[in-house]
Amino acid sequence: MRIEALFLLFLGVFFGLVGTVYWFWSYEDGGTMMLAGTALLGFLPGSYYFFWHKRFEGRKFFFWGKAHGAGNRPSDSDDASIADGAGDVDSFPSSSIWPFVMGMGAFFTVLALVFGMWLIFIGISLILTALTGVTVESRRGGHV
């Protein structure tokens, strides 16, 4: 995770510097705030990854007789094979209509802000239907 953390932190620093230069060059609020938000989008996951890298750095995990630190994943070593990075394969969910219904409910709910609040009844009913459907489907298994 170290490489990912450093890459994202570099992006945060880069866009922070660009945003600072942009502010003093143009004194324009919109672009400066967008660049500041972009810098935060680099700092937030970068600091999270760096935190977990530092937390697991001292621990040793054993994969196939070799000691790896948590920051040194099997995929990071030069002599690793594909099988070294393979993990357990679990079951995958079957196809379902409920994510589409949930998306349409969210679409109608946002559309209600533009075209009229009467559309929110359709959106909320679709959202509640999707939540009920996905809950029942996950409890029983299969299609509902």
Side-chain angles (χ1 to χ4, degrees):
M1 277 193 219
R2 182 175 179 266
I3 298 298
E4 294 92 343
L6 292 177
F7 176 74
L8 288 168
L9 289 173
F10 169 76
L11 283 179
V13 169
F14 173 76
F15 282 111
L17 290 173
V18 169
T20 304
V21 169
Y22 184 80
W23 168 251
F24 286 113
W25 195 304
S26 68
Y27 294 107
E28 196 259 327
D29 295 332
T32 304
M33 286 296 107
M34 286 186 228
L35 286 168
T38 305
L40 288 176
L41 285 174
F43 282 130
L44 184 68
S47 59
Y48 178 77
Y49 288 160
F50 195 73
F51 168 76
W52 282 107
H53 165 70
K54 284 295 182 187
R55 185 169 179 172
F56 286 126
E57 187 176 25
R59 297 183 187 178
K60 297 292 182 187
F61 296 101
F62 290 92
F63 294 106
W64 296 274
K66 295 184 276 185
H68 293 280
N72 300 327
R73 297 171 291 196
S75 58
D76 292 338
S77 66
D78 293 332
D79 61 341
S81 66
I82 294 174
D84 290 341
D88 294 334
V89 177
D90 204 1
S91 64
F92 295 102
S94 61
S95 63
S96 176
I97 191 69
W98 301 118
F100 174 74
V101 175
M102 177 73 80
M104 289 306 294
F107 173 71
F108 275 105
T109 303
V110 171
L111 211 59
L113 299 173
V114 177
F115 291 113
M117 291 308 288
W118 63 273
L119 283 171
I120 203 162
F121 297 116
I122 298 171
I124 295 296
S125 65
L126 283 173
I127 289 173
L128 291 175
T129 303
L131 287 174
T132 305
V134 77
T135 303
V136 170
E137 185 177 83
S138 68
R139 299 283 190 259
R140 291 184 186 167
H143 296 288
V144 176

